[in-house]
Amino acid sequence: MRAACSWTLDMAIPLPHLLHSDRPLPAAASHPTPPPSSESAARSQDELKRVAAHRAVELVESGMVLGLGTGSTAAHALDRIGDLLRCGALRDIVGIPTSEWAAARAADAGIPLSDLNAHPVVDLSIDGADEVDPALNLVKGRGGSLLREKMVEGASRRFVVIVDDSKLVPRLGASGLAVPVEVIPFGYALTLRRLHKLFHGVPGFNLKLRTASVNAKASTFEEDGYELEPFVTDNKNYIVDLFFEDGIHGDLNLISDEILRITGVVEHGMFLGLASSVIVARKDGVVVMDKEMKLNGT
């Protein structure tokens, strides 16, 4: 059974009073909040993600066109929006899913769906990220949905990102995990060689075609991976995963342009300058980072 409809958060952990916006967040209930306990400090990352997702959903207003994110953190936001629609706290919401998975999850939650053709301007997108750097640049797409995510979130008036603190990095790629690049299947081996040439000489650089059995969040691949079927995105494209031992150094916008100039590349997973705010779930509470790099909360 889904949670009862309520605007109050259901975990007693410290929360910021305001997510930077041109409107205040809805007021919480007036009853006192119990102090944090040792049990709350030990709550799982998934529970903290749920609280952060609910915090982001407080920004949703009736009549909005919403970008619906993909992944485990975004799932909590989708479920919460569905709960609020069912009990009448929200109405006339239209969702633009960023993947086939998001479309199915949103439909199950009872969120009406449309697309960018009908709604080319999105009021608010809520989604997770794989990495967040100090300037709020992101790596996304380790689940394979980077193209649709970037299209929807790039069309948004506001893009709120939800992560746990393990996703914070000093520079993009510094986690040692994949920075994905979506490529067309035709001539993919040539595209892969051109990507390799672009980063030739970068210490610790490697790349690999993602296969159907590869875990994109692992930093190593089986040597016989070439015998497996390529991973196929919702757009029927392939993914090439780039790995950087010490992250990506240099001008990210210039590097982005150089990747996109390679014929056969569709899009990459660096989301530069798109995030308006990042809600970070930590074991001791939730904090909010905005585009002006101010940190609020506890």
Side-chain angles (χ1 to χ4, degrees):
M1 180 179 295
R2 295 185 184 274
C5 182
S6 170
W7 280 106
T8 60
L9 296 175
D10 55 358
M11 288 180 62
I13 66 173
L15 294 173
H17 297 294
L18 179 66
L19 179 61
H20 292 272
S21 176
D22 54 3
R23 70 176 185 87
L25 290 175
S30 59
H31 57 75
T33 300
S37 66
S38 58
E39 180 183 357
S40 66
R43 294 184 189 277
S44 72
Q45 288 297 99
D46 188 64
E47 288 175 319
L48 290 173
K49 289 177 182 180
R50 175 169 57 84
V51 173
H54 287 198
R55 182 70 176 179
V57 172
E58 292 186 27
L59 292 170
V60 178
E61 295 180 338
S62 294
M64 275 187 167
V65 178
L66 298 178
L68 306 178
T70 297
S72 61
T73 308
H76 291 302
L78 298 179
D79 292 345
R80 181 61 169 168
I81 293 166
D83 290 339
L84 295 172
L85 285 169
R86 276 189 296 278
C87 70
L90 288 176
R91 57 184 176 79
D92 301 325
I93 293 296
V94 176
I96 312 297
T98 56
S99 66
E100 298 298 328
W101 176 92
R105 183 69 179 240
D108 182 62
I111 302 172
L113 301 178
S114 188
D115 57 35
L116 284 178
N117 294 324
H119 298 278
V121 178
V122 178
D123 294 308
L124 170 68
S125 286
I126 300 172
D127 203 356
D130 299 308
E131 293 183 357
V132 180
D133 78 3
L136 305 193
N137 296 313
L138 316 172
V139 169
K140 289 176 55 59
R142 287 180 188 152
S145 303
L146 63 99
L147 176 59
R148 297 190 191 187
E149 288 174 336
K150 190 174 283 190
M151 291 181 70
V152 173
E153 289 148 11
S156 300
R157 291 190 174 101
R158 187 151 192 219
F159 174 29
V160 176
V161 180
I162 313 166
V163 297
D164 63 75
D165 56 3
S166 69
K167 305 300 176 64
L168 303 181
V169 294
R171 68 190 66 86
L172 296 190
S175 68
L177 304 180
V179 178
V181 177
E182 187 161 345
V183 304
I184 65 168
F186 179 81
Y188 72 87
L190 175 60
T191 306
L192 191 149
R193 286 195 295 271
R194 288 175 172 170
L195 284 167
H196 191 276
K197 181 178 179 181
L198 177 62
F199 293 100
H200 179 72
V202 174
F205 172 76
N206 193 19
L207 81 174
K208 192 87 171 184
L209 180 72
R210 187 182 300 182
T211 58
S213 68
V214 164
N215 177 359
K217 297 189 177 183
S219 59
T220 59
F221 292 83
E222 297 177 3
E223 290 301 318
D224 60 352
Y226 66 90
E227 297 177 353
L228 304 173
E229 289 296 319
F231 174 91
V232 179
T233 71
D234 287 345
N235 312 296
K236 310 304 181 187
N237 293 321
Y238 293 168
I239 296 284
V240 176
D241 287 317
L242 312 183
F243 298 92
F244 300 85
E245 189 174 69
D246 189 38
I248 304 173
H249 292 264
D251 186 327
L252 293 177
N253 287 297
L254 178 60
I255 294 168
S256 168
D257 290 344
E258 290 176 340
I259 292 173
L260 294 173
R261 277 201 294 267
I262 296 175
T263 304
V265 167
V266 178
E267 190 52 86
H268 58 70
M270 293 189 295
F271 285 49
L272 307 180
L274 291 182
S276 305
S277 302
V278 177
I279 300 177
V280 184
R282 308 186 311 194
K283 291 189 182 297
D284 61 345
V286 174
V287 296
V288 180
M289 297 186 295
D290 67 13
K291 214 165 188 176
E292 286 70 38
M293 298 313 304
K294 294 176 182 177
L295 185 63
N296 294 273
T298 56

